[in-house]
Amino acid sequence: MSSPETTTDQSGSNKQQRRRRRHHFILVHGVCHGAWCWYRVATALSSAGHRVTALDMAACGARPGRADEVPSFERYTAPLLDAVADQDGEEKAVVVAHSFGGQSLALAMEKHPEKIAVAVFVTATMPAAGKSMSFAFKQLSQGKDADFFMDCTIRTIGDPQNPDKTFLFGPEYLARRVYQLSPPEDLALAMSTVRPSRRFLNDATMNGDVLTEGRYGTVRRVYVVAEEDEWKPAEIQRLMVSWNPGTEVRALQGADHMPMFSKARELSELLMEIANKYS
């Protein structure tokens, strides 16, 4: 750290050096979405000189296949696990996950904690060490009946003796509870691009004792609260933070469930600030 005697010019130079630091951002989408939802943030980060990897999870975005063909949550998450594992040498990634993507990020943290400089949960599901990942999902689902999901489509798939479900946002639900503060062109993009996602309710990884304090719990993490999220209210976001002591909390005012659209510039700047702090 600079001494109190550092001159103004030196201080300015130090700040410029911090701003010029280059990071590798890995961006993880939420349910029904794909890498496409990060286009505003990815453009801002890459324009600032950073390396950006926006991923499609299995059977999501531009990847081929159907949700009901993905056999497990770990297979669903494989694109992220591979991207984190493939970090060169001592390089560590800044991994940013949105919504359901938080559970994929948690699994990557458990498997490759040494490869992640900081994990950023953007209004994301944030599991707790020592509890199943499905515990977080069940907490988020409490009190939400079928009427809450309006015109969303939920279908039963798989073995009748051990069924699972797929989920697809409806246009009205997207407009009123997910994108209500986002630009209309981004809502239109979502309406034409979202795909059904498997929920993995009975998956062994989702329901097992997978996340440990010694691995998952050692990764530095930041939670970005979307204050106007209608789908995952701010109090629920902060509840998940309370399960993970030591998590830094940053808030975005005026952000709906899609801060990468409703507050794209502010989120991009915040991600670069977080990366500089923790890398």
Side-chain angles (χ1 to χ4, degrees), residues 206-225:
M206 290 286 283
N207 290 289
D209 186 13
V210 173
L211 303 180
T212 64
E213 194 63 48
R215 295 181 67 81
Y216 169 72
T218 64
V219 181
R220 296 174 295 185
R221 67 198 73 187
V222 178
Y223 198 100
V224 179
V225 175

Side-chain angles (χ1 to χ4, degrees), residues 93-115:
V94 177
V95 187
V96 184
H98 174 248
S99 195
F100 184 79
Q103 294 177 112
S104 295
L105 172 52
L107 186 58
M109 293 161 69
E110 176 66 29
K111 289 184 173 292
H112 304 291
E114 74 287 351
K115 297 281 190 175

Side-chain angles (χ1 to χ4, degrees), residues 68-126:
D68 59 0
E69 296 173 333
V70 182
S72 68
F73 179 70
E74 188 159 347
R75 286 284 295 275
Y76 170 86
T77 303
L80 172 60
L81 300 178
D82 292 344
V84 172
D86 286 345
Q87 294 291 289
D88 295 331
E90 296 182 357
E91 181 187 28
K92 293 186 177 184
V94 177
V95 187
V96 184
H98 174 248
S99 195
F100 184 79
Q103 294 177 112
S104 295
L105 172 52
L107 186 58
M109 293 161 69
E110 176 66 29
K111 289 184 173 292
H112 304 291
E114 74 287 351
K115 297 281 190 175
I116 301 174
V118 58
V120 186
F121 292 77
V122 180
T123 189
T125 304
M126 187 187 215

Side-chain angles (χ1 to χ4, degrees), residues 141-270:
S141 300
Q142 284 185 357
K144 293 181 179 178
D145 56 22
D147 291 340
F148 176 85
F149 292 103
M150 297 161 55
D151 60 338
C152 296
T153 301
I154 301 175
R155 292 202 169 107
T156 301
I157 62 170
D159 182 354
Q161 301 302 315
N162 188 32
D164 197 4
K165 295 182 183 294
T166 60
F167 178 85
L168 178 65
F169 287 117
E172 185 180 1
Y173 191 89
L174 284 171
R176 290 179 53 185
R177 290 196 167 146
V178 185
Y179 282 76
Q180 80 275 9
L181 299 177
S182 294
E185 62 269 24
D186 293 319
L187 171 60
L189 173 65
M191 287 182 175
S192 65
T193 311
V194 292
R195 297 173 59 184
S197 284
R198 186 177 167 187
R199 303 177 88 181
F200 302 102
L201 300 178
N202 300 316
D203 183 83
T205 298
M206 290 286 283
N207 290 289
D209 186 13
V210 173
L211 303 180
T212 64
E213 194 63 48
R215 295 181 67 81
Y216 169 72
T218 64
V219 181
R220 296 174 295 185
R221 67 198 73 187
V222 178
Y223 198 100
V224 179
V225 175
E227 294 288 5
E228 276 65 56
D229 192 334
E230 292 283 342
W231 183 19
K232 190 177 295 175
E235 59 268 24
I236 298 297
Q237 298 173 57
R238 290 187 167 90
L239 172 64
M240 291 184 288
V241 171
S242 72
W243 302 339
N244 292 273
T247 302
E248 180 182 353
V249 178
R250 304 296 295 268
L252 284 177
Q253 302 293 332
D256 57 20
H257 187 66
M258 306 300 295
M260 64 279 284
F261 294 130
S262 57
K263 289 293 176 181
R265 178 181 59 81
E266 292 85 348
L267 177 59
S268 300
E269 292 175 352
L270 178 57

